[in-house]
Amino acid sequence: RASAAFVILTRNKDLKELRESLVQLEDRFNRRYNYPYVFLNNEPFSDDFKERIRNVVSGECQFGLIPEEHWSYPDFINQTMAAEARMSLLERKVIYGGKESYQHMCRYESGFFFRHPLLDQYKWYWRVEPGVKFACDIDYDPFVFMERNNKKYGFTVSIKEYIETIPTLWNTTMQFMKQRGELVPATNLMNFVTDADGGYNRCHFWSNFEIGSLDFLRSEKYLAYFDYLDHAGGFFYERWGDAPVHSLAVAMFLNKNEVHWFEDIGYYHAPLWNCPKGAANKKCWCPEEESIEIKNKRWSCTLDFMALPNPEI
């Protein structure tokens, strides 16, 4: 086995949905591999939550409390401005725009979950969220696949982001690249996130499913990028999501050979499916025509990713 764990940011109230997701994940994959789970919460987990989770999974469970400094306002954020920004987002009906806890979650998933001491012993993570579905038998080990094939980041769904949530994220990223160009390799994946005119096409990997390298997130270049974004304030003055943040980092610092589309993992997060096609669908219960890159090609970015040339090695 790889040095890996499932990582789940959740709360006590998510117990029912989470158990349903974990039963599917165990049935489709982990009952054969017994990988451990790390559950993280900004409030203590109840004894009932811990017991009922342990009852449905095969791997070891660890339950961690998020440090307050990772789920609070840093001293460089003007909280009055942040509250006014949330009100503006709410009035404009920007998705999750008025939710303070959602902003803390996005910042935490962008810059801190991989620093939790419970993850120190691992090199790989698989992110799982309450309510997701796993529709196909996974008869190999994705962690070992990533390790053996020198992959750093794996996804199932990629789509275009709502620009109202990230109006200045692209320009802030461009400023970072100008200031810290030495961190950006010549061979990268920036053509995945740029349009024909060199602007931002809003494509991003949906981060509610990720299989990735913790060493990548712990690297100097990723931490420098997150710190730059954090000080720009967009997690609170706008509604920057961890998905476009992770994706822009992947685009800057990795190349296509290091990123993998898990087309064969049948996965659902409302309202979108990733479902295998053809013969790969035999051990699935999801309808392949519901897969996002078939059902809504204009919103999906996955086929564009697959069409990109592989870099020469």
Side-chain angles (χ1 to χ4, degrees):
R1 293 194 318 178
S3 173
F6 298 103
V7 179
I8 304 174
L9 180 63
T10 187
R11 289 178 168 172
N12 291 301
K13 65 181 181 181
D14 299 324
L15 179 61
K16 180 179 182 295
E17 284 189 326
L18 181 57
R19 275 168 52 99
E20 292 173 357
S21 298
L22 294 181
V23 166
Q24 291 184 39
L25 180 57
E26 286 287 326
D27 182 53
R28 293 300 191 173
F29 170 70
N30 202 46
R31 62 184 171 83
R32 296 184 294 278
Y33 292 90
N34 311 127
Y35 276 105
Y37 292 82
V38 175
F39 299 90
L40 301 174
N41 191 349
N42 67 313
E43 300 172 349
F45 285 110
S46 68
D47 290 338
D48 179 64
F49 182 96
K50 295 177 184 178
E51 179 183 3
R52 296 181 69 188
I53 289 296
R54 287 191 174 108
N55 287 342
V56 297
V57 300
S58 60
E60 177 191 0
C61 294
Q62 293 180 290
F63 301 90
L65 184 64
I66 295 170
E68 184 178 356
E69 62 268 23
H70 292 173
W71 197 283
S72 57
Y73 290 101
D75 55 14
F76 50 80
I77 293 296
N78 182 321
Q79 294 189 40
T80 301
M81 278 182 57
E84 292 171 350
R86 281 197 307 278
M87 185 60 64
S88 174
L89 290 165
L90 186 63
E91 291 171 351
R92 288 182 284 128
K93 298 182 179 179
V94 175
I95 185 169
Y96 302 122
K99 294 191 174 182
E100 187 178 28
S101 61
Y102 194 87
Q103 292 178 318
H104 285 295
M105 181 274 290
C106 289
R107 178 175 180 259
Y108 182 75
E109 292 282 29
S110 295
F112 295 104
F113 83 89
F114 50 89
R115 309 189 212 204
H116 198 285
L118 291 179
L119 290 172
D120 285 350
Q121 61 183 300
Y122 301 114
K123 292 185 176 181
W124 301 92
Y125 73 99
W126 180 334
R127 180 168 160 184
V128 181
E129 291 194 357
V132 301
K133 299 176 181 179
F134 296 92
C136 309
D137 285 346
I138 305 169
D139 54 8
Y140 68 100
D141 188 332
F143 292 123
V144 172
F145 170 85
M146 296 281 286
E147 201 163 50
R148 288 179 177 171
N149 291 280
N150 194 33
K151 306 293 185 182
K152 302 289 173 47
Y153 189 85
F155 71 98
T156 53
V157 172
S158 69
I159 56 174
K160 294 180 173 68
E161 181 62 294
Y162 298 108
I163 196 63
E164 296 84 0
T165 67
I166 51 166
T168 67
L169 177 58
W170 177 253
N171 287 339
T172 306
T173 300
M174 292 299 98
Q175 292 165 10
F176 170 80
M177 291 181 71
K178 285 182 180 179
Q179 292 187 24
R180 300 301 307 273
E182 78 280 3
L183 297 176
V184 182
T187 302
N188 55 47
L189 198 54
M190 288 301 291
N191 50 355
F192 173 65
V193 295
T194 51
D195 57 27
D197 298 324
Y200 186 32
N201 64 14
R202 299 181 289 124
C203 283
H204 69 288
F205 305 112
W206 227 18
S207 60
N208 49 71
F209 175 104
E210 293 179 322
I211 300 177
S213 163
L214 287 165
D215 286 343
F216 170 64
L217 297 177
R218 295 164 180 151
S219 67
E220 176 194 359
K221 54 193 177 185
Y222 183 85
L223 292 175
Y225 177 54
F226 170 75
D227 187 63
Y228 191 88
L229 296 184
D230 202 24
H231 280 78
F235 291 109
F236 299 110
Y237 302 146
E238 297 179 10
R239 207 237 69 194
W240 292 356
D242 52 279
V245 170
H246 285 191
S247 301
L248 287 170
V250 167
M252 274 190 291
F253 303 131
L254 302 181
N255 64 60
K256 189 188 176 190
N257 286 334
E258 296 173 302
V259 181
H260 181 70
W261 176 29
F262 282 102
E263 183 181 6
D264 55 349
I265 294 182
Y267 174 77
Y268 177 80
H269 181 294
L272 305 181
W273 270 107
N274 178 75
C275 192
K277 323 301 180 298
N281 193 263
K282 289 182 179 179
K283 294 184 178 181
C284 306
W285 54 263
C286 59
E288 58 184 88
E289 66 274 11
E290 288 293 311
S291 203
I292 178 61
E293 78 284 356
I294 292 177
K295 188 174 183 179
N296 193 334
K297 290 183 179 180
R298 295 182 65 183
W299 193 20
S300 173
C301 298
T302 302
L303 296 182
D304 296 327
F305 167 81
M306 295 302 293
L308 294 173
N310 289 314
E312 295 182 6
I313 300 175

